[in-house]
Amino acid sequence: MRLSIDHLTRYRFSQPQARIVQLLRLTPSDTDDQTIVSWRIDVDCDARLREGRDGFGNRTTMLYIDGPITGIEIAVAGEVLTGEVDGVVKGTLEPLPPALFARSTDLTRADAAIAAFAAAARGAPRAQLESLNTAFAKRFALSHARPDHGLTAAEAFARETATPRDMAQMFVAAARSLGLPARYVSGHCLTCEREAERPTTHGWAEAHVEGEGWIGFDPSFARPIDQTYVRVACGLDAAQAAPVAGSRLGAGREWLDVDVQVERMNGGEQ
Amino acid sequence: MEPRGLWGFDVTMGKRRAFDEIWGTGGRRRPRKELAELARWIEATPASELSRRQHAAEAAFRQLGITFAVYGDADAAERIIPFDIVPRVFLADEWARLSEGLVQRVEAINAFLDDVYGEARIVREGVLPPDLVFGNPQFRPEIAGMKPPHHVWAHICGIDLVRTGPDQFWVLEDNARTPSGVSYMLENREAMIRLCPELFRSFRVAPVDGYTDMLLQTMKSVAPPGAGSSPNCVVLTPGHYNSAYYEHSFLADNLGVELVEAADLVVDDDVVWMRTIAGRVKVDVIYRRVDDDFLDPLVFRPDSMLGVPGLIAAYAAGNVTIINAPGTGIADDKAIYSYMPEIVRFYSGEEAKLPIVRTWRCREPDALEYVLDHLDELVVKLVDGSGGYGMLVGPTASDEEIANFRAALVAEPHRYIAQPTLALSTVPTLGDKGVVPRHVDFRPFVLTGASGVQVVPGGLTRVALREGSLVVNSSQGGGTKDSFVLLGDEPEVRA
């Protein structure tokens, strides 16, 4: 399937900033299941951009801007060709072994409630994961509110609605509590972003099953990952896979506005 | 006559007299023959004179501002570490053997770090359990795949050693993050030369004042390839509230480089710059005395105001060298320590020349059971602790302390290791009623640069000033001594 992605990130500051340094994880990598046909990042001011990779193998772009500056607009536009996926992610750059993803982080620590919830999933590892993948969507109403970046999996579990970010973090915490390595994935998806009123970067999860590999799950929609998904970055939690980690030198408040459009393009069928 | 057992009860405190490094085991009337002259000096110098010199040294340290802060002690924000006037001495052949062991160990530490952040052969080949490395909070996935210049990760290591007999040295822990204490090695020596010049006439003591030159050479040797012929080096401190701030400024002064805080550095286009009055200056090598967590808020702790945004990107791009490299904490984790003999064998193909102390990993159920049954005999430590915090010394602990540790061990066994209580060697030390034996440990400083590993002939001797105490940490009432390394008969040893 040929997908076009337009992803706009806009920051505005209440006071001029002297300097901005941001780490962007906005660029997908080629895998066996997705080929990047074209991809570009445009910034609406005089910025220096540097490509690199982080420890998880994600493509990164460092963004350096000298002030005074009162706002930035980062426009990402690209086309990706995706193939049929059987749920198992293949051909990703893996600098770290699955064992690393068995550890928890402050954002993804399973408390007793999550662990008990996870323990209800029975069977072989893949069956357990598939049952978890439907359980969260049953328990929580999907929220399209802006994700709260400080919210931990345990805090999210105490609520009644959950954003995709929280669904994915809870899934990751639950899978790890069953002894299965799991990680957070950020990226885009044809249908989920269309359903949201204010679309933003989507979040889902991957869990590792011995002998099979990394398998993608989208607990927000209780379905496996298919060719409507474009995988951008992964990490132990949402923060490590976040599209933007930023720092600014200057006082005042900031406002963030994000818009994502994912469209299916014609003529891309293979 | 000497304690033969490698560990266990025959060398345990209270069961046998500890080995004294000057007086031997025969009491002060029959000192070790190589050190008989030093024993005579101790006997011949009146305690009042020793005390006068000791006070003169401490007064000088106070004037210099060699102080440290004690965490959790609001009354004494800054103290000086007590200094003891009686030196500790290593014979030339003892030092030669120790150095060989230290070089081998630090080479293995660097090979281990290069491996675990790369291919992780040591895990794939089953030598180390995967979760011990990858589940360890000291392993930093954020920097996986990044390579420091010349594959040197731990440029500055402080290896803590204890001694139980003339030839029995044991590694107690490895400090591969930002080991401190080298300023004491240098200042203690200056004080001794000034206050006890006669000792330097009687003994041929290897000089330690070449340390800062050696360190600067080491730093320059690992500069990024693009740095040119005179790389710009800086010392990065968390600031003057840090307990080791004196040492940070001391080192910067002696190295002749700038002492900077995070706010003095900016990263632009993946290059690190230092702000100066005359404009910005490119930085090639950063000797950082801040923890990984506070290096770069974009990669590590986002709430940290101490870090330099973009520093890890500059490091990954190969534009700056960070000393020690990010992620080295995995090598000084105490559970990893327990595998050091296997680690040395894996990378060097040789047996470790320096043994470790027997270590029970409480994460293993059998070990935990043994430890819980023998808490009153063992030393229990946090795997990632330092400074003597979070430590139980069973033989001297109260029932309440033991009960608290038992509860902590049961709740989080993976966070602890236990070791037998060793009969640490003693060195004569000036007390209130004259010179008495007190337990010591030793931290030599080992430098690794592009051309290999070097050991400074000296180090930091810490002494437990309370009678019978085995806890030498300065935060727990320990003091320091000068450490003499004697030169051999052959003049070429001077080189």
Side-chain angles (χ1 to χ4, degrees):
Chain A
M1 189 178 284
R2 197 176 178 103
L3 299 171
S4 78
I5 291 147
D6 286 284
H7 178 183
L8 194 68
T9 306
R10 199 181 289 122
Y11 284 93
R12 281 184 305 123
F13 308 106
S14 61
Q15 294 180 37
Q17 304 296 303
R19 248 181 86 70
I20 306 270
V21 180
Q22 292 187 334
L23 188 169
L24 312 177
R25 295 182 196 88
L26 293 173
T27 308
S29 299
D30 282 343
T31 70
D32 290 0
D33 313 312
Q34 66 182 28
T35 305
I36 316 308
V37 179
S38 68
W39 203 265
R40 57 178 296 145
I41 298 177
D42 289 302
V43 183
D44 70 337
C45 59
D46 184 13
R48 288 164 300 286
L49 302 178
R50 284 275 175 172
E51 304 293 320
R53 284 201 189 266
D54 69 12
F56 295 94
N58 302 314
R59 293 181 65 175
T60 58
T61 306
M62 291 299 298
L63 170 75
Y64 302 96
I65 304 173
D66 292 326
I69 184 161
T70 53
I72 332 167
E73 199 172 285
I74 304 164
V76 178
E79 280 178 39
V80 180
L81 204 58
T82 61
E84 273 314 324
V85 189
D86 62 353
V88 180
V89 184
K90 296 189 193 77
T92 48
L93 183 68
E94 300 287 350
L96 292 160
L100 185 278
F101 297 89
R103 67 157 78 173
S104 66
T105 64
D106 288 345
L107 286 175
T108 54
R109 195 153 286 122
D111 63 356
I114 292 180
F117 184 76
R122 313 248 171 215
R126 185 146 184 179
Q128 283 182 301
L129 293 165
E130 281 162 357
S131 121
L132 275 184
N133 199 31
T134 55
F136 285 103
K138 274 191 204 128
R139 171 156 177 155
F140 297 91
L142 187 63
S143 158
H144 290 294
R146 277 267 170 266
D148 170 355
H149 294 290
L151 201 66
T152 66
E155 288 161 353
F157 195 77
R159 299 187 171 187
E160 293 186 344
T161 64
T163 63
R165 168 195 179 275
D166 300 326
M167 293 278 205
Q169 287 210 131
M170 287 189 288
F171 180 94
V172 165
R176 288 182 194 149
S177 78
L178 297 172
L180 299 168
R183 61 194 182 190
Y184 186 96
V185 180
S186 65
H188 305 291
C189 153
L190 178 63
T191 52
C192 5
E193 283 157 5
R194 197 178 279 163
E195 285 167 27
E197 285 160 37
R198 300 175 67 195
T200 181
T201 305
H202 192 49
W204 63 91
E206 287 170 1
H208 191 267
V209 176
E210 200 61 48
E212 297 187 52
W214 285 103
I215 305 171
F217 297 94
D218 186 349
S220 295
F221 297 97
R223 67 187 176 207
I225 297 312
D226 59 28
Q227 56 180 335
T228 63
Y229 286 76
V230 175
R231 185 185 190 279
V232 177
C234 74
L236 287 165
D237 55 30
Q240 288 180 339
V244 181
S247 92
R248 56 192 173 93
L249 188 65
R253 294 189 54 203
E254 71 177 40
W255 293 275
L256 169 64
D257 194 24
V258 179
D259 187 38
V260 181
Q261 301 290 334
V262 183
E263 301 291 341
R264 183 172 182 176
M265 301 173 80
N266 293 323
E269 301 304 333
Q270 302 245 322
Chain B
M1 284 303 163
E2 299 304 334
R4 286 263 172 234
L6 297 186
W7 37 62
F9 302 110
D10 55 342
V11 291
T12 303
M13 288 309 301
K15 301 283 197 279
R16 186 186 283 264
R17 173 189 278 187
F19 168 71
D20 188 276
E21 297 190 9
I22 293 174
W23 293 328
T25 46
R28 58 204 295 172
R29 303 259 166 253
R30 283 184 294 132
R32 297 173 71 201
K33 70 176 191 312
E34 302 89 338
L35 294 171
E37 203 172 332
L38 187 62
R40 273 197 298 280
W41 175 82
I42 295 169
E43 298 301 330
T45 316
S48 58
E49 173 60 14
L50 291 175
S51 173
R52 187 193 65 76
R53 295 184 191 183
Q54 186 160 307
H55 283 114
E58 290 185 344
F61 293 158
R62 198 168 281 116
Q63 190 134 30
L64 282 167
I66 313 182
T67 55
F68 73 104
V70 180
Y71 296 110
D73 184 352
D75 299 332
E78 292 215 323
R79 295 182 184 165
I80 66 158
I81 298 184
F83 170 71
D84 184 74
I85 196 78
V86 183
R88 184 264 187 97
V89 182
F90 293 100
L91 306 177
D93 60 325
E94 291 170 355
W95 185 256
R97 284 195 298 276
L98 261 188
S99 301
E100 272 182 37
L102 290 167
V103 168
Q104 180 199 46
R105 190 171 181 97
V106 170
E107 282 174 349
I109 285 173
N110 276 299
F112 168 73
L113 288 163
D114 207 47
D115 185 29
V116 291
Y117 286 109
E119 290 181 46
R121 279 196 308 120
I122 196 162
V123 179
R124 285 169 209 263
E125 295 182 24
V127 178
L128 294 186
D131 67 313
L132 188 76
V133 176
F134 300 116
N136 196 314
Q138 293 297 329
F139 180 86
R140 310 306 304 245
E142 296 89 343
I143 52 99
M146 298 174 192
K147 291 284 178 207
H150 303 280
H151 300 269
V152 182
W153 294 72
H155 310 81
I156 305 165
C157 284
I159 308 293
D160 288 354
L161 300 167
V162 294
R163 187 176 191 180
T164 55
D167 282 314
Q168 277 100 16
F169 289 93
W170 312 90
V171 179
L172 202 56
E173 58 186 65
D174 300 292
N175 296 278
R177 282 178 275 186
T178 54
S180 61
V182 80
S183 57
Y184 295 97
M185 170 180 88
L186 297 168
E187 296 285 16
N188 287 356
R189 175 59 53 83
E190 272 201 25
M192 287 301 286
I193 290 174
R194 201 171 61 246
L195 295 164
C196 303
E198 69 275 23
L199 288 177
F200 295 85
R201 286 191 292 271
S202 313
F203 295 100
R204 293 175 59 222
V205 181
V208 292
D209 57 2
Y211 176 78
T212 44
D213 283 345
M214 213 189 258
L215 176 58
L216 190 60
Q217 287 310 315
T218 300
M219 289 167 69
K220 289 183 170 174
S221 77
V222 292
S229 56
S230 55
N232 185 27
C233 307
V234 299
V235 174
L236 174 63
T237 175
H240 63 277
Y241 294 110
N242 185 271
S243 66
Y245 182 74
Y246 169 78
E247 182 158 298
H248 307 163
S249 69
F250 172 93
L251 284 169
D253 271 0
N254 282 273
L255 290 164
V257 306
E258 290 295 327
L259 178 67
V260 299
E261 296 184 23
D264 300 318
L265 299 179
V266 291
V267 181
D268 191 2
D269 230 4
D270 288 0
V271 173
V272 184
W273 302 86
M274 171 174 64
R275 300 176 218 256
T276 73
I277 302 165
R280 55 188 210 177
V281 178
K282 186 165 164 266
V283 173
D284 303 302
V285 180
I286 300 175
Y287 175 12
R288 51 88 176 225
R289 294 292 295 257
V290 302
D291 289 343
D292 287 354
D293 270 346
F294 305 106
L295 280 178
D296 182 345
L298 301 185
V299 175
F300 298 115
R301 274 177 56 167
D303 54 336
S304 155
M305 298 304 289
L306 293 173
V308 184
L311 183 56
I312 294 299
Y315 170 68
N319 294 334
V320 70
T321 301
I322 301 175
I323 288 179
N324 287 346
T328 52
I330 185 69
D332 70 21
D333 179 88
K334 292 182 182 68
I336 295 286
Y337 156 95
S338 67
Y339 283 98
M340 274 308 285
E342 287 86 351
I343 291 172
V344 170
R345 196 179 304 129
F346 186 78
Y347 296 109
S348 71
E350 297 171 7
E351 291 306 306
K353 292 170 183 165
L354 282 174
I356 61 164
V357 179
R358 178 172 183 182
T359 301
W360 286 273
R361 297 183 279 263
C362 301
R363 67 208 305 276
E364 296 167 8
D366 290 353
L368 178 64
E369 193 184 330
Y370 179 87
V371 171
L372 290 173
D373 284 347
H374 297 85
L375 276 179
D376 57 340
E377 296 163 12
L378 300 172
V379 177
V380 185
K381 298 173 180 173
L382 277 171
V383 289
D384 56 354
S386 65
Y389 294 98
M391 180 169 147
L392 174 81
V393 181
T396 58
S398 68
D399 290 349
E400 191 191 348
E401 285 169 316
I402 288 184
N404 288 344
F405 257 79
R406 183 181 303 278
L409 274 165
V410 170
E412 296 185 293
H414 60 280
R415 294 191 63 200
Y416 295 91
I417 54 115
Q419 294 171 333
T421 316
L422 293 183
L424 303 194
S425 60
T426 58
V427 172
T429 297
L430 184 61
D432 294 340
K433 299 184 182 113
V435 177
V436 288
R438 288 290 179 266
H439 297 292
V440 294
D441 81 349
F442 183 56
R443 174 178 293 181
F445 295 92
V446 185
L447 300 179
T448 306
S451 55
V453 183
Q454 288 176 287
V455 186
V456 187
L460 172 65
T461 291
R462 298 185 297 182
V463 52
L465 295 171
R466 264 173 299 152
E467 184 174 5
S469 170
L470 295 169
V471 183
V472 297
N473 302 84
S474 48
S475 49
Q476 314 282 321
T480 70
K481 284 172 171 290
D482 192 5
S483 316
F484 286 10
V485 172
L486 299 188
L487 293 166
D489 296 330
E490 310 88 320
E492 64 266 21
V493 182
R494 275 180 190 280

